Amino acid sequence: MIVRAVARKDIPKVVKLARKLAEHVNDPDPKLTTEIVEELAFGETRWFEALVVEHNREIVGFAAFTQSFELHTNSKTLLVSDLFVCDQIRKSGVGQALLEALQRVANDRKCGVIRFEVWQENEQARAFYAKHDAQAVDDVDLWQIAV
């Protein structure tokens, strides 16, 4: 098992996995294309970075992330927007390997925390993160404005 930064050649498989993640959390099909994701990951403005897990020459998982900074607390955060492992290989250490790699990225960037977005009904993900000492943040509310 190898955890590494996503490469352009990985994008078609990452798109497939992202669609599976959307299905898993009952989101609509994200209508992603290889071209869209390649531009978002490698274009002039990089909207996200990603790690992939390669097992037997197949991409079996990924984590997409970005970083955030709060001026009023002088704190750096690694924000993980998506983390997904193929059903058939779950509970084999792939998720653990992704978390460990994310921790290395966060440490290298001197982040104080890694923050995850977890759908409230995704009990499997909530149990996974809790097992790794993650805690739900309840001192802030997530708000958004559609544009």
Side-chain angles (χ1 to χ4, degrees), residues 17-36:
L17 294 177
R19 283 191 180 115
K20 287 184 182 208
L21 174 57
E23 184 180 303
H24 180 72
V25 297
N26 295 327
D27 278 346
D29 183 327
K31 300 189 182 355
L32 293 172
T33 65
T34 299
E35 295 77 22
I36 289 170

Side-chain angles (χ1 to χ4, degrees), residues 83-129:
L83 190 150
F84 185 76
V85 175
C86 293
D87 291 343
Q88 64 271 23
I89 200 161
R90 285 192 187 144
K91 299 189 188 242
S92 68
V94 172
Q96 172 79 30
L98 277 169
L99 280 182
E100 289 171 359
L102 288 166
Q103 288 173 322
R104 287 190 295 276
V105 171
N107 285 332
D108 290 347
R109 297 178 187 191
K110 301 189 178 4
C111 295
V113 297
I114 300 172
R115 187 161 287 157
F116 302 89
E117 292 180 2
V118 181
W119 182 43
Q120 291 177 345
E121 294 181 29
N122 190 345
E123 291 301 325
Q124 192 175 28
R126 294 166 67 84
F128 173 76
Y129 293 124

Side-chain angles (χ1 to χ4, degrees), residues 56-68:
N56 294 332
R57 297 187 181 169
E58 284 290 320
I59 303 301
V60 296
F62 77 97
F65 61 93
T66 188
Q67 51 195 38
S68 173

Side-chain angles (χ1 to χ4, degrees), residues 5 14 25 32 36 45 48 54 56 73 78 82 85 88 106 108 112 116 128 132 139 143:
V14 170
V25 297
L32 293 172
I36 289 170
T45 301
F48 75 96
E54 191 175 335
N56 294 332
T73 60
L78 194 71
D82 298 302
V85 175
Q88 64 271 23
D108 290 347
F116 302 89
F128 173 76
H132 291 91
D139 63 338
W143 291 59

